[in-house]
């Protein structure tokens, strides 16, 4: 279900924002920097962002010892709330162009459905044990598969731009043949939302193991002729 109709009117489906709600609290400057990068990417939709984020930005000063106290937690909670509701989170528009921003980290995948550079839905999941051994290009293709299938209801029958370079990984490509995907490379440092989600994926390992796995490393035996 894309959205939910109730007595209070139209509301976003919780599945659209669960990946953001489940993100862990930053544990160091690097993870905080990723979070702030995502928030800053959405800054034009967030009023008073500078004031709200000030306690978090203070921790980015290397002269300040890392400390996560009540004021940092409060600022973080407010920002999480803001980026999962209107006007930051956009309602899906059937007449607008669609893009999916995806990213693959060593342990997780992140995806964001966008219209006009504004998020419509977020998604992330951890990689299972087998997937963590994939080459990076295979993980990137897996991220495309994840984004396309996760946002199936939004993109089926539409032309979609996806922000990663594919390779001819046949089984994965077959998985996304039902979608009209146009792939566009975007430098990793500008994939603010997808990168943050991929590094903060909280899906349990047991849940990952129940998902379909792709065997991308194939051993092709060499035929041997029998001696005459």
């Amino acid at each position: 279900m894309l959205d939910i109709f109730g007595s209070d009117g139209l509301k976003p489906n919780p599945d659209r924002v669960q990946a953001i709600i489940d993100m862990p609290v930053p544990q160091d400057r690097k993870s905080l920097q990723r979070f702030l990068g995502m928030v800053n990417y959405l800054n034009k939709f967030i009023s008073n962002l500078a004031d709200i984020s000030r306690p978090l930005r203070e921790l980015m000063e290397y002269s300040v010892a890392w400390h996560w106290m009540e004021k940092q937690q409060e600022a973080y909670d407010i920002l999480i709330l803001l980026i999962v509701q209107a006007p930051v989170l956009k309602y899906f528009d059937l007449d607008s162009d669609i893009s999916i921003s995806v990213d693959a980290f060593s342990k997780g995948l992140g995806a964001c459905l966008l219209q006009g550079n504004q998020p419509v839905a977020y998604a992330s999941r951890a990689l299972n044990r087998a997937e963590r051994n994939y080459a990076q290009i295979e993980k990137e293709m897996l991220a495309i598969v994840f984004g396309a299938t996760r946002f199936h209801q939004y993109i089926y029958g539409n032309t979609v731009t996806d922000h990663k370079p594919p390779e001819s990984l046949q089984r994965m490509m077959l998985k996304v043949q039902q979608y009209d995907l146009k792939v566009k490379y975007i430098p990793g440092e500008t994939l603010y939302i997808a990168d943050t989600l991929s590094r903060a994926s909280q899906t349990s390992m047991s849940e990952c193991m129940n998902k379909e796995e792709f065997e991308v490393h194939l051993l092709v035996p060499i035929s041997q002729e029998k001696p005459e």
Side-chain angles (χ1 to χ4, degrees):
M1 185 182 297
L2 304 187
D3 293 299
I4 297 174
F5 291 90
S7 58
D8 298 327
L10 182 66
K11 294 182 178 180
N13 187 324
D15 288 345
R16 293 170 54 184
V17 299
Q18 199 62 46
I20 294 292
I21 294 173
D22 289 344
M23 284 175 52
V25 170
Q27 299 297 316
D28 50 35
R29 284 191 178 89
K30 195 168 184 178
S31 56
L32 177 58
Q33 184 178 32
R34 285 194 295 269
F35 175 74
L36 290 176
M38 177 179 69
V39 171
N40 287 332
Y41 176 77
L42 302 170
N43 73 83
K44 61 183 176 182
F45 307 114
I46 304 174
S47 60
N48 301 319
L49 175 59
D51 289 336
I52 298 170
S53 64
R54 182 175 291 111
L56 300 177
R57 289 185 288 107
E58 288 175 354
L59 292 184
M60 296 306 298
E61 298 290 337
Y62 282 97
S63 59
V64 176
W66 175 264
H67 60 281
W68 190 267
M69 303 181 70
E70 185 177 347
K71 65 177 183 177
Q72 279 79 30
Q73 185 65 49
E74 182 180 0
Y76 178 81
D77 291 341
I78 291 173
L79 288 172
I80 288 290
L81 181 63
L82 288 173
I83 62 180
V84 298
Q85 63 184 13
V88 177
L89 191 69
K90 176 183 174 66
Y91 283 106
F92 183 66
D93 183 356
L94 288 171
D95 298 321
S96 296
D97 292 337
I98 307 167
S99 64
I100 300 177
S101 176
V102 300
D103 194 33
F105 181 54
S106 60
K107 297 182 179 180
L109 306 174
C112 182
L113 184 74
L114 301 159
Q115 288 188 304
N117 291 323
Q118 190 171 355
V120 173
Y122 308 99
S124 70
R125 80 164 175 87
L127 296 175
N128 63 37
R129 194 170 291 106
E131 292 166 344
R132 291 184 185 185
N133 292 324
Y134 289 2
Q136 184 59 31
I137 189 64
E138 295 164 345
K139 291 177 182 175
E140 291 169 355
M141 187 64 222
L142 185 61
I144 292 179
V145 175
F146 170 65
T149 54
R150 184 61 180 269
F151 300 134
H152 170 85
Q153 295 183 70
Y154 296 95
I155 71 173
Y156 187 75
N158 290 303
T159 299
V160 183
T161 298
D162 200 325
H163 295 176
K164 274 293 177 179
E167 289 289 320
S168 55
L169 305 175
Q170 293 183 356
R171 293 192 65 190
M172 291 190 195
M173 291 301 293
L174 287 172
K175 185 74 175 178
V176 295
Q177 274 188 348
Q178 61 184 313
Y179 307 108
D180 184 10
L181 296 176
K182 294 184 178 179
V183 180
K184 178 181 178 182
Y185 173 73
I186 301 294
E189 61 270 18
T190 63
L191 292 173
Y192 300 106
I193 302 176
D195 175 71
T196 304
L197 289 169
S198 71
R199 294 169 186 268
S201 56
Q202 291 294 290
T203 309
S204 66
M205 181 60 69
S206 60
E207 183 178 344
C208 288
M209 295 304 290
N210 291 329
K211 296 181 180 292
E212 179 179 359
E213 293 185 13
F214 294 87
E215 295 296 335
V216 294
H217 299 286
L218 302 179
L219 295 177
V220 182
I222 300 175
S223 62
Q224 296 182 352
E225 295 183 359
K226 293 182 179 180
E228 295 181 358

